[in-house]
Amino acid sequence: MSVRFISAGVSGALFRARVANSALKATSATPIAARWISTSQLRLNEKKNKKDEPQSILTDDILFKAGVDVEEPGAKASEGKESGSAPEGSTGSQKKSRPQSSTDIKRERYANWFYLGFFASAIGGAGYLARNWEEDEDPKIKEDIPNGYTLDLIWKRFSARFNSIFTYFQEPPFPDLLPDSPPEPYKRPLTLVVSLEDLLIHSEWSQKNGWKTAKRPGVDYFLGYLSQYYEIVLFSSNYMMYSEKVVEKLDPLRAFITYQLYKEHCLYKDGAHIKDLSKLNRDLKKVIILDTSDDSIKLQPENAIKLSPWDGKADDKLIQLIPFFEYLATQQFKDVRPVLGSYKDKDHLPEEFAQRVNVLRTQWEKDQAKKNGANFLNKLLGLPGMKQKFPLDAVHDEGVKNYQAFLKLVKEEEAKLKAQAEMPKETFKLKDIVEGNMPTQEEMMKRQLEKQAEFEKQQAQAQAQAAAQVKA
């Protein structure tokens, strides 16, 4: 009995001790449990609120893998405290840096080599441009700049050579745009430079029809009639690739237009393309330019007849200009510039010229009346009086006869002229122009004469074969 009591007493004491210990632990942990419950509830509420907000599918991890620098939101504040870089209360966020691959390292290395090579080339090029003059260089560039290696002379040589690079592209491709004039029997007394755009043709664009080009009334007669007096040079304000086909339409047989020039042959200066007549290899006293742009004629305005641009409506302005140009060519003026300068408004030149002609005609008729009165004795004797035409009328009648005869000759030689017009042209590449491999005007003229001689030989052989077939 005593053993049982002792064991029962020990068991009761242990039980009471456990209960007391459990109560003590529960009493001491109650505030901590309460705080843990409240914190858990706040976190649950935050998670619910975050779930209610729209979330982007582009997470920071995805952006980081794609190579975008992003802020790492989950950085621990303790890390910032340990490093001492983040103050208390800060989020302790850190920026993720994109990992540098071997390809990036190679790119940086190549970029450094490129920059180094670029600067080395620039320094070497500057030294090459500043070197002493060579004998084969253009005398115009090295004028008044001697050799030597002072800072002033080095800078002047560098500037002269550097500016000449841009001048090369601003100047026309040849110093003389036209070959030498033909010998006297074939030489025309004057040279007439005629613009193409908005003078002989007019181009318009519409959404319905696209680009349409209209030919001005009287163009064929204007070019054909004046070709007996003038060396006609058609100078387009557009590039060759755009205007060449139009020129072929205007004169498919190459019977009226002597030469064609394009925008490539202009002088580029002060932001404008200028038709420099001094580059034509012709005496400016015998050159006239007919144009519609102030920029085109700014270097030689005294040689110019500026007209208003043609808007595409039918008119007879070109036909009205023919009497003036015919008068200018047949009177054998030593210099045409003073004659052009005597007309105040070039746009109304035909009207002013017609008024002057009427004054001359009236004076001439009065003189003829006096001469006829002096020949009263001839009338008494029954001798017929000599009736003369007004000189300009006689010149025009002769010009019309020559023009008709010329058209007849062109029609007879149409097949030959057509074959000659279809002969392959000599073309040049941009590489030839940049490298200076362009032939001189004398060489080009020699090649043209050789082609012409070969063409004449082929035509003679063809005519001989045709005659032999007729006889057979």
Side-chain angles (χ1 to χ4, degrees), residues 18 22 25 45 54 67 84 112 119 123 132 136 147 173 188 247 256 262 279 286 300 322 343 360 363 367 390 442 448:
R18 289 177 181 174
S22 298
K25 288 182 179 180
N45 292 334
N112 293 334
F119 287 115
I123 295 172
N132 281 332
D136 57 346
N147 289 329
R188 299 291 188 272
V247 176
F256 308 133
Y262 302 94
K279 305 290 185 179
K286 305 292 184 180
Q300 294 90 16
I322 289 178
Y343 291 86
L360 292 175
Q363 184 63 37
D367 294 340
F390 183 57
E442 291 77 10
Q448 187 175 359

Side-chain angles (χ1 to χ4, degrees), residues 95-113:
K95 185 176 181 179
K96 285 187 177 181
S97 60
R98 181 182 178 184
Q100 194 174 26
S101 63
S102 59
T103 304
D104 295 333
I105 296 174
K106 288 181 180 180
R107 288 176 179 171
E108 290 183 1
R109 186 184 304 159
Y110 293 153
N112 293 334
W113 281 110

Side-chain angles (χ1 to χ4, degrees), residues 3 67 102 126 148 220 262 308 337 368 401 472:
V3 174
S102 59
D220 297 332
Y262 302 94
S308 300
R337 291 174 292 187
Q368 288 297 112
K401 292 180 181 179

Side-chain angles (χ1 to χ4, degrees), residues 62-226:
I62 295 176
L63 294 174
F64 176 72
K65 291 177 181 179
V68 180
D69 292 339
V70 296
E71 299 290 337
E72 185 179 4
K76 296 181 180 180
S78 59
E79 296 178 0
K81 291 181 180 180
E82 292 176 359
S83 61
S85 60
E88 293 183 1
S90 64
T91 58
S93 61
Q94 294 180 349
K95 185 176 181 179
K96 285 187 177 181
S97 60
R98 181 182 178 184
Q100 194 174 26
S101 63
S102 59
T103 304
D104 295 333
I105 296 174
K106 288 181 180 180
R107 288 176 179 171
E108 290 183 1
R109 186 184 304 159
Y110 293 153
N112 293 334
W113 281 110
F114 172 77
Y115 294 141
L116 181 62
F118 174 77
F119 287 115
S121 301
I123 295 172
Y128 180 76
L129 292 177
R131 72 190 189 280
N132 281 332
W133 297 114
E134 297 178 359
E135 295 181 359
D136 57 346
E137 290 189 85
D138 189 0
K140 295 180 180 179
I141 300 177
K142 56 184 181 180
E143 187 177 4
D144 298 332
I145 305 177
N147 289 329
Y149 285 99
T150 63
L151 292 178
D152 183 51
L153 294 177
I154 289 174
W155 172 251
K156 286 182 178 180
R157 287 196 301 271
F158 172 80
S159 300
R161 287 194 176 103
F162 186 78
N163 294 331
S164 67
I165 297 174
F166 297 95
T167 305
Y168 179 82
F169 294 97
Q170 294 173 353
E171 293 283 340
F174 304 106
D176 296 328
L177 297 178
L178 302 180
D180 295 336
S181 299
E184 192 59 37
Y186 307 98
K187 183 179 179 180
R188 299 291 188 272
L190 299 176
T191 299
L192 177 62
V193 182
V194 185
S195 180
L196 179 63
E197 288 77 19
D198 294 331
L199 182 64
L200 303 183
I201 63 170
H202 178 73
S203 299
E204 289 183 351
W205 186 89
S206 63
Q207 189 174 4
K208 181 179 179 181
N209 301 317
W211 281 104
K212 292 182 66 177
T213 301
K215 184 170 68 171
R216 195 168 192 171
V219 168
D220 297 332
Y221 183 69
F222 177 81
L223 296 176
Y225 189 85
L226 293 182

